[in-house]
Amino acid sequence: MRRIGILALIFHLSICSFGQILEVSPISLGAAFSIPKAETIESVSKVSSGSSMVLATQSDNIFLRPLSVETGFPIRLLSIRSNETKKVRKHILRGDSLFCMIKSVEKNNSAIFESVIYTVHNDQLAEAERHQVGFTKPLGRKNAQPIFFEASENGKVSVVARQFPFVKEKKANLFVEITHYPTSNTTSHTIPLPFESDDIEITGITISNNGLVFIGAKTGIKLNSPFLRKHLLYSFNQDSLELHEFDLSVDKLFIDRMAIKNMDNQIHVLALFSSDPFKQGQAAGFTFFKLNSQGAEVEEKFIHMFDSKTILDFNSEAKPGQGIEDLTIQAVLPNEENSWAIMDQRYLDQVCTTDPRTGIITCTDQYHFDGILLKSLPDSEKSHFIGRDQVDYNTAGDYMGQQTFVSDGKLIVLYNDHMKNTSIQADRIMNNPGRSILRYVYVNEENKLVSDVYQGLDDFVLLTKVPGYQINGKVVLLLSNGKDFKLGTIDTSRL
């Protein structure tokens, strides 16, 4: 629907909760630099020197580029390269420490895995710790179970885990190895699980700063019944050798998707559920619970059903018993004042055309990133909807999605919007970075949404799929114009 000009003028001149005029932009840009297109940029993070570092990969090679504090320009290129006998299979960057899982192949074709820690100091890369992972080797058998590799947020503890191979009518066992850095103290454990080895699937693993291991699992697989399937969370304390089990199942509700956030030695779990096990794509609500710092007790737990207005915001219609289609958990942001859950709608669609002369059908994939839901965890009444509308073709590009931060108690959402949009109601589809502009939305002290766009960025927009970070009340991001890159720093106190 076309807007009348006088109403648009009033909208821009008025002070309302959906926009504000900034006299001075709160974002500053560093120098432009280039990165080869063959590399995949994964993250930009802070290092102890106060500068930022960009991590990129190409095949099984890792490239680190420390950036100058003054200019934001790369100082040098550091790399870890694979060869014919040693390949980097997994990697995790925590501050100045890069944790790597390296696979070595010997002459008899048996695989050996090593856990290696590299450190960046004064823009130099050095190996700090290396040891062979003590996987138990079953006689004459290969283990097809996936390897899980994770490091704590402070970069002081790492964990390697792998389920033992299937043995008929035997209970499942999980191998766990924990390494403390810089002491290089490594301990390994075999954890028995109360399910047969073909009836449990390990879905994820994380480790807290104090060395507690948390294991996500799905059970009831052998029965192949959505009514009997369960989602579980285990906590393992290597000091007491205690294993605690937490059942995420909800009576007459069926868990669909789950996210685990580890922060300040506490685990926060958010899981979507449906009211019908045969409609797993329709979220009827979510359940949230938090474990104490020892991982032994549930400190907080609640269940929240989506109301009809929230369902209507996403689906454009609300029918009895209907949930929100294609909802995805994007982030859980714990905070002392008010923790938030961020969810959005993502789905794959296709547009097909038929050549009238040949009858050949050609289809193009469409990746949609639609509305964003901001949900306060302690106060269910605090709920906000952002009517974003993004679409990309063939692949979900680096400019799709959003990044979220909590700074000084303020929830901030950053994403690319169509440059002609005047509000957060997605007047036009953002389908081309060249027609996009960086938009911010935040929840103010009156629990209202404030939104505006960043002007003067010289066609640079947010590389949404490259996570940024926070430091001293600022948010640091990586931006691109499709050819070059710039480091962007947002002073959140000036929003």
Side-chain angles (χ1 to χ4, degrees):
M1 181 181 295
R2 295 180 178 276
R3 289 180 170 81
I4 302 174
I6 187 66
L7 292 179
L9 178 61
I10 293 174
F11 173 83
H12 284 291
L13 294 179
S14 63
I15 299 177
C16 65
S17 62
F18 291 110
Q20 64 177 5
I21 304 300
L22 297 176
E23 294 180 0
V24 180
S25 175
I27 185 169
S28 59
L29 299 180
F33 61 92
S34 61
I35 293 178
K37 290 186 177 181
E39 296 181 23
T40 300
I41 304 175
E42 294 190 359
S43 67
V44 56
S45 59
K46 60 183 176 183
V47 292
S48 59
S49 64
S51 64
S52 301
M53 185 161 59
V54 175
L55 184 150
T57 59
Q58 182 181 357
S59 300
D60 295 315
N61 303 314
I62 300 175
F63 302 99
L64 300 171
R65 291 176 173 85
L67 306 179
S68 167
V69 176
E70 292 77 18
T71 66
F73 194 81
I75 301 173
R76 66 181 65 222
L77 175 64
L78 308 173
S79 65
I80 300 173
R81 300 177 184 271
S82 299
N83 53 39
E84 293 182 357
T85 58
K86 291 182 180 291
K87 297 186 181 297
V88 180
R89 289 308 189 196
K90 297 178 182 291
H91 61 276
I92 305 160
L93 182 62
R94 294 284 188 262
D96 296 346
S97 300
L98 179 65
F99 296 78
C100 292
M101 175 66 67
I102 295 179
K103 180 180 180 180
S104 301
V105 180
E106 294 185 337
K107 293 180 180 180
N108 59 1
N109 293 325
S110 62
I112 293 176
F113 292 89
E114 293 177 298
S115 177
V116 185
I117 302 176
Y118 299 93
T119 58
V120 179
H121 181 67
N122 293 331
D123 305 322
Q124 298 292 327
L125 186 65
E127 181 180 310
E129 199 275 340
R130 178 188 292 262
H131 71 270
Q132 182 177 326
V133 180
F135 286 126
T136 302
K137 298 180 181 179
L139 294 175
R141 303 184 62 194
K142 291 185 177 180
N143 192 348
Q145 296 287 352
I147 297 173
F148 295 90
F149 182 56
E150 191 54 74
S152 62
E153 291 297 319
N154 63 2
K156 300 299 183 182
V157 197
S158 65
V159 59
V160 181
R162 191 182 200 182
Q163 186 176 335
F164 281 62
F166 167 74
V167 178
K168 188 177 181 180
E169 298 180 354
K170 295 290 185 179
K171 296 294 185 180
N173 287 282
L174 183 68
F175 168 86
V176 171
E177 181 184 272
I178 303 169
T179 300
H180 290 262
Y181 173 77
T183 62
S184 299
N185 180 28
T186 298
T187 58
S188 60
H189 309 271
T190 296
I191 303 175
L193 300 174
F195 297 91
E196 293 185 18
S197 55
D198 62 342
D199 202 31
I200 185 169
E201 176 187 349
I202 305 301
T203 57
I205 193 166
T206 186
I207 189 166
S208 65
N209 291 339
N210 57 2
L212 292 176
V213 179
F214 297 91
I215 305 150
K218 183 166 61 176
T219 67
I221 299 170
K222 186 168 60 175
L223 300 175
N224 196 28
S225 169
F227 296 96
L228 300 176
R229 190 161 298 165
K230 289 186 177 182
H231 291 260
L232 304 174
L233 179 70
Y234 289 96
S235 70
F236 175 70
N237 188 321
Q238 66 169 337
D239 296 327
S240 63
L241 299 181
E242 293 180 345
L243 181 70
H244 294 273
E245 178 184 287
F246 301 93
D247 189 347
L248 306 185
S249 302
V250 181
D251 186 33
K252 296 182 180 180
L253 298 173
F254 305 91
I255 299 296
D256 188 0
R257 302 170 186 177
M258 180 175 63
I260 301 175
K261 176 67 175 180
N262 188 350
M263 185 174 181
D264 297 331
N265 290 327
Q266 284 193 312
I267 286 291
H268 301 73
V269 181
L270 182 70
L272 297 174
F273 59 74
S274 62
S275 56
D276 186 337
F278 300 104
K279 295 182 179 179
Q280 291 287 291
Q282 292 189 359
F286 66 89
T287 178
F288 170 81
F289 74 89
K290 179 172 63 175
L291 301 183
N292 64 4
S293 59
Q294 297 302 313
E297 297 179 357
V298 176
E299 193 172 273
E300 181 181 351
K301 181 178 181 180
F302 64 81
I303 300 171
H304 179 79
M305 302 291 293
F306 292 130
D307 55 33
S308 58
K309 182 183 181 303
T310 301
I311 297 174
L312 184 63
D313 286 336
F314 279 98
N315 296 348
S316 299
E317 60 178 3
K319 299 178 182 178
Q322 183 184 26
I324 300 174
E325 298 179 355
D326 304 305
L327 193 64
T328 298
I329 300 171
Q330 192 267 332
V332 180
L333 299 178
N335 184 263
E336 293 182 359
E337 299 178 9
N338 188 14
S339 299
W340 292 90
I342 293 88
M343 295 166 261
D344 66 359
Q345 197 172 45
R346 303 184 181 190
Y347 60 95
L348 173 63
D349 200 359
Q350 279 190 334
V351 174
C352 298
T353 58
T354 303
D355 189 323
R357 296 174 299 174
T358 64
I360 297 176
I361 300 175
T362 303
C363 296
T364 301
D365 288 337
Q366 285 187 338
Y367 291 83
H368 293 261
F369 291 70
D370 290 348
I372 306 171
L373 179 63
L374 314 177
K375 202 75 177 177
S376 169
L377 294 176
D379 186 356
S380 60
E381 297 298 320
K382 291 184 178 181
S383 178
H384 301 282
F385 177 77
I386 301 173
R388 180 195 57 184
D389 194 357
Q390 295 180 337
V391 62
D392 209 347
Y393 300 95
N394 296 320
T395 60
D398 295 336
Y399 304 95
M400 310 294 285
Q402 70 275 345
Q403 292 191 26
T404 52
F405 303 89
V406 173
S407 180
D408 296 326
K410 182 189 301 180
L411 174 63
I412 302 169
V413 184
L414 299 162
Y415 63 97
N416 297 313
D417 201 1
H418 196 290
M419 60 192 307
K420 292 186 178 181
N421 278 356
T422 57
S423 74
I424 56 173
Q425 298 309 311
D427 300 333
R428 299 170 179 84
I429 293 177
M430 195 293 286
N431 60 0
N432 188 331
R435 298 192 185 100
S436 302
I437 193 166
L438 176 58
R439 176 178 291 280
Y440 72 83
V441 183
Y442 72 85
V443 182
N444 66 11
E445 296 178 353
E446 289 76 33
N447 192 37
K448 294 182 179 180
L449 292 185
V450 178
S451 177
D452 206 345
V453 294
Y454 289 112
Q455 303 287 351
L457 299 184
D458 299 326
D459 297 328
F460 279 79
V461 291
L462 176 63
L463 272 172
T464 318
K465 290 195 174 180
V466 179
Y469 67 91
Q470 294 174 257
I471 183 172
N472 300 328
K474 295 179 173 59
V475 172
V476 181
L477 309 162
L478 194 63
L479 295 92
S480 176
N481 60 0
K483 180 181 178 182
D484 296 319
F485 303 89
K486 287 184 179 181
L487 205 63
T489 303
I490 299 174
D491 186 348
T492 59
S493 66
R494 292 168 56 188
L495 292 180

